[in-house]
């Protein structure tokens, strides 16, 4: 497996030239656009890595499935889906468009920014600090002995510049899709996006969403299935349909260049390549995953 991954990383690293590091969160521009790394964490605990696996990066939108897991554990599916929809949007991740046009006045799904901010607002806790520590400790419990930190510079950078997310949060408050103060919900959302990991952590987190024997399940199996389904239909934003056809596994990307993949019953995948395509997905990361999943016949359908 190791040699094969080295070959794939060497083959797809040149693809990083076709993408750009996200600049709308200024701190993310410090990433090396040529980085490309992959980790595989299988259900027997074997880890395979290649490329930029020492690089640390923030979860960004890859945090959304875990905020959803916690919200589901806090409120159950009915509590969550009475406030947030289940449909793909076909729009960019930070679009406001469907907030006004979607039939029921709620954000369309938990993996686009509007739905994610509303999901984060459901996390229980007596104060902002407690809500965040519940979330980061939950993520740590899913990837024990892996690196899980917090990047305060990225947090500050997004907090200072995140006016579009601010617009979304105030709109959500206006339609009563969130109960708390908009600024407090946003602050927790910016913090969750700034949780820092590496490729091995990402792969371990992917494995936590796989179909696992009951004794290994931290996330209840039904909730893991709900999350995998959202990842399959909405995890790669408005490229989710193409990704489902070409790669064929549940996955979630983030603007840091992270992609977390799940091969049910088998393993988790963590890919990092900060040069992004126009839709905000890692250019080289998607190409690498496509080649790997086709070679190993991992597509789920
Ligand atoms: N923090 C980012 C934002 O809200 C996350 C988006 C992403 O990773 N696609 O804009």
């Amino acid at each position: 497996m190791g040699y094969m991954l080295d070959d794939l990383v060497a083959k797809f690293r040149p693809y990083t030239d076709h993408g750009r590091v996200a600049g709308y969160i200024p701190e993310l521009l410090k990433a090396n656009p040529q980085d490309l790394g992959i980790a595989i964490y299988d259900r027997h605990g074997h880890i395979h890595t290649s490329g930029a696996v020492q690089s640390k990066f923030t979860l960004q939108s890859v945090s959304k499935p875990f905020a959803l897991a916690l919200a589901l554990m806090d409120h159950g599916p009915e509590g969550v889906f009475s406030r947030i929809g289940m449909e793909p949007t076909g729009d960019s991740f930070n679009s406001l468009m469907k907030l006004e046009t979607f039939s029921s006045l709620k954000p369309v799904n938990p993996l686009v920014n509007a739905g994610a901010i509303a999901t984060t607002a459901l996390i229980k806790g007596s104060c902002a600090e407690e809500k965040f520590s519940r979330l980061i400790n939950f993520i740590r419990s899913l990837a024990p002995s892996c690196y899980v930190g917090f990047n305060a510079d990225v947090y500050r950078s997004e907090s200072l510049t995140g006016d579009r997310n601010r617009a979304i949060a105030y709109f959500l408050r206006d339609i009563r899709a969130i109960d708390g103060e908009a600024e407090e919900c946003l602050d927790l959302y910016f913090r969750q996006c700034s949780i820092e990991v590496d490729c091995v952590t990402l792969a371990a987190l992917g494995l936590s969403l796989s179909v696992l024997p009951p004794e290994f399940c931290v996330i209840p199996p039904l909730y893991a299935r709900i999350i995998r389904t959202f990842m399959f239909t909405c995890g790669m934003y408005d490229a989710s349909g193409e990704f489902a056809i070409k790669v064929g596994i549940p996955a979630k990307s983030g603007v840091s260049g992270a992609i977390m993949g799940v091969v049910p019953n088998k393993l988790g995948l963590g890919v990092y390549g900060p040069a992004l395509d126009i839709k905000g997905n890692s250019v080289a990361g998607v190409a690498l995953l496509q080649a790997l999943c086709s070679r190993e016949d991992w597509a789920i359908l």
Side-chain angles (χ1 to χ4, degrees), residues 24-25 60-61 64 93 113 158 165 189 193 237 253-255:
Y24 77 99
I25 301 174
Q60 297 301 331
S61 284
K64 292 170 181 172
F93 62 85
N113 286 12
E158 183 165 19
N165 283 326
Y189 172 77
C193 290
Y237 309 115
S253 67
V255 285

Side-chain angles (χ1 to χ4, degrees), residues 9-285:
V9 168
K11 178 169 177 195
F12 290 105
R13 188 176 283 118
Y15 283 50
T16 60
D17 291 342
H18 303 301
R20 292 175 70 173
V21 173
Y24 77 99
I25 301 174
E27 192 66 23
L28 294 182
L29 284 169
K30 291 188 178 159
N32 175 0
Q34 259 124 42
D35 267 356
L36 179 64
I38 178 163
I40 298 178
Y41 206 125
D42 75 18
R43 58 185 285 175
H44 307 293
H46 300 133
I47 301 172
H48 303 279
T49 61
S50 182
V53 288
Q54 307 300 331
S55 298
K56 293 180 167 51
F57 50 89
T58 48
L59 280 177
Q60 297 301 331
S61 284
V62 183
S63 62
K64 292 170 181 172
F66 303 105
L68 174 59
L70 207 50
L72 284 167
M73 288 158 80
D74 281 352
H75 300 275
E78 278 180 20
V80 172
F81 299 121
S82 61
R83 320 255 354 225
I84 299 150
M86 297 185 184
E87 302 303 329
T89 64
D91 303 327
S92 62
F93 62 85
N94 53 9
S95 174
L96 285 107
M97 206 138 58
K98 296 262 182 344
L99 280 176
E100 266 201 299
T101 57
F102 194 49
S103 52
S104 44
L105 271 181
K106 57 186 184 183
V108 187
N109 74 63
L111 298 189
V112 290
N113 286 12
I117 293 169
T119 303
T120 297
L122 292 175
I123 293 173
K124 285 187 178 166
S126 56
C127 60
E129 215 43 60
E130 186 184 324
K131 291 178 189 176
F132 181 65
S133 65
R134 283 191 70 224
L135 180 61
I136 193 166
N137 288 334
F138 174 62
I139 289 173
R140 288 198 170 111
S141 75
L142 299 173
S145 72
C146 293
Y147 171 73
V148 179
F150 177 72
N151 189 321
D153 294 332
V154 172
Y155 159 69
R156 270 192 294 272
S157 182
E158 183 165 19
S159 188
L160 283 172
T161 56
D163 287 339
R164 182 175 270 263
N165 283 326
R166 223 160 241 119
I168 291 174
Y170 279 91
F171 196 97
L172 290 172
R173 176 125 173 97
D174 182 67
I175 62 171
R176 305 285 175 266
I178 55 175
D179 296 328
E181 288 304 319
E183 287 299 333
E184 203 181 304
C185 298
L186 273 171
D187 192 63
L188 187 56
Y189 172 77
F190 291 148
R191 279 177 199 274
Q192 82 175 46
C193 290
S194 300
I195 292 173
E196 195 175 62
V197 298
D198 57 25
C199 282
V200 172
T201 311
L202 208 53
L205 291 174
L207 181 67
S208 77
L209 288 165
S210 183
V211 180
L212 296 168
E215 63 271 25
F216 293 112
C217 289
V218 179
I219 300 172
L222 170 65
Y223 300 167
R225 186 179 76 75
I226 290 173
I227 294 166
R228 288 196 304 275
T229 309
F230 275 124
M231 288 168 66
F232 201 67
T233 56
C234 321
M236 305 296 284
Y237 309 115
D238 41 336
S240 298
E242 186 177 347
F243 188 90
I245 287 170
K246 290 188 175 165
V247 185
I249 61 167
K252 183 74 205 84
S253 67
V255 285
S256 53
I259 306 176
M260 175 181 72
V262 182
V263 183
N265 292 309
K266 281 197 174 66
L267 49 86
L269 291 160
V271 173
Y272 173 61
L276 308 180
D277 63 22
I278 190 118
K279 295 188 172 175
N281 296 317
S282 170
V283 176

